[in-house]
Amino acid sequence: MRIVLVGAGGLATNLGLALHEAGHNVLAVFSRTMEHAQMLAERIGSQPTDDICALPDEADLFIVSVKDAVLTDVVQQLVQGREEQFFAHTAGSMPLELFQGPAHHYGVFYPMQSFSKERRINFSEIPVFLEASDVQTLTLLKTLSATLTPHVYELSTDERRYLHLAAVFACNFANHCYALSAEILQQHGLPFSVMLPLIDETARKVHYLSPLEAQTGPAIRYDLNVISKQQKLLDDPDMRELYERLSKSIHQHAKS
């Protein structure tokens, strides 16, 4: 397919590389920062631009992968004069109806993964969730998705919001706990690398056990002797409160 990629961040970079390797022709890459557009375009043999009006009109699909805060504005600029084209955005928490109005064919192409420019992701392992305004657009998105991953699902905007919420807990909040762990270690002269075997095993376990079954530690049995001592080690009141709330939540879920 002929694709125009609107965005050059972590998701767009991984998607652009995957599209290129799957044999699709990424005609152009747009970013408000020309340097970012150039960096991705050079890797996939595409044309960079920081002018959304300069994007080619002959694409089979325009994929919009930008921050949620600017998505609506970018879509409005992109669709103007291209009302008959096909569009999709990649945001897990944003509705399908965002395109509603001038666009006639639009959808959502949401790859559920944590993306960074610096780290290449194997797209064939990623689940992709689709929604579309019409059968023609859905067929187009399914055809495209099948060239990237076998894990393709249809999901409505309402259900995708809950999927994205669950992903925030599983990924963003978990990663924040890594950051807090690294902070504690750094304060006492220990490298974060000592945590990696523990983190890896914790992640591996939930491939075979439910998260409830895999839970260990003092909070699950609510060992106040350990919990109170560890709380006293935390000088930051916010971290101390977080420790207490998480411990109580773990214990309550274990009892349910």
Side-chain angles (χ1 to χ4, degrees):
M1 289 186 192
R2 298 168 301 173
I3 309 290
V4 166
L5 199 52
V6 181
L11 194 164
T13 295
N14 275 273
L15 177 57
L17 291 167
L19 289 168
H20 179 65
E21 290 178 358
H24 299 287
N25 182 10
V26 182
L27 301 174
V29 175
F30 165 83
S31 174
R32 289 179 173 177
T33 304
M34 187 61 174
E35 180 184 359
H36 295 167
Q38 288 173 332
M39 288 174 62
L40 177 54
E42 286 175 4
R43 299 177 70 181
I44 59 178
S46 186
Q47 292 296 316
T49 182
D50 58 1
D51 180 3
I52 205 163
C53 296
L55 290 170
D57 293 329
E58 65 270 16
D60 298 308
L61 179 65
F62 291 79
I63 301 179
V64 186
S65 181
V66 297
K67 294 178 181 178
D68 290 2
V70 300
L71 181 56
T72 300
D73 289 340
V74 170
V75 163
Q76 288 176 352
Q77 295 175 53
L78 177 66
V79 173
Q80 189 172 6
R82 302 184 176 98
E83 291 80 3
E84 298 299 327
Q85 302 296 116
F86 288 80
F87 303 91
H89 74 67
T90 62
S93 60
M94 299 297 280
L96 170 71
E97 289 76 20
L98 184 142
F99 288 105
Q100 202 167 34
H104 298 162
H105 304 287
Y106 51 90
V108 177
F109 174 95
Y110 172 48
M112 194 184 69
Q113 184 53 276
S114 174
F115 293 100
S116 300
K117 284 185 181 182
E118 300 78 13
R119 181 168 170 77
R120 184 71 193 278
I121 299 292
N122 182 354
F123 229 90
S124 67
E125 298 176 353
I126 299 173
V128 171
F129 297 88
L130 307 178
E131 186 180 15
S133 61
D134 56 275
V135 174
Q136 196 175 357
T137 306
L138 183 61
T139 300
L140 179 71
L141 292 177
K142 283 183 174 180
T143 301
L144 176 69
S145 301
T147 67
L148 303 176
T149 175
H151 311 291
V152 182
Y153 309 91
E154 290 182 52
L155 199 66
S156 69
T157 290
D158 287 341
E159 291 303 316
R160 192 174 65 257
R161 288 190 179 114
Y162 287 101
L163 176 72
H164 190 260
L165 172 61
V168 167
F169 273 92
C171 175
N172 305 132
F173 289 173
N175 190 73
H176 180 60
C177 287
Y178 298 160
L180 296 179
S181 172
E183 186 178 310
I184 293 169
L185 292 168
Q186 185 178 23
Q187 289 170 355
H188 297 278
L190 293 167
F192 182 68
S193 59
V194 301
M195 287 292 161
L196 296 180
L198 176 63
I199 290 169
D200 292 344
E201 175 57 17
T202 301
R204 276 193 295 265
K205 276 201 295 186
V206 294
H207 284 261
Y208 308 101
L209 301 172
S210 73
L212 279 176
E213 292 171 325
Q215 187 70 58
T216 61
I220 195 169
R221 56 188 181 273
Y222 214 66
D223 188 336
L224 285 172
N225 182 47
V226 175
I227 290 171
S228 61
K229 287 179 180 178
Q230 291 193 334
Q231 280 185 286
K232 290 176 182 177
L233 295 175
L234 295 168
D235 297 326
D236 186 331
D238 290 335
M239 286 181 68
R240 193 160 54 244
E241 182 183 359
L242 180 60
Y243 180 100
E244 181 178 6
R245 287 180 177 272
L246 285 173
S247 295
K248 287 181 177 178
S249 181
I250 289 169
H251 183 60
Q252 290 298 322
H253 277 74
K255 292 196 303 181
S256 62

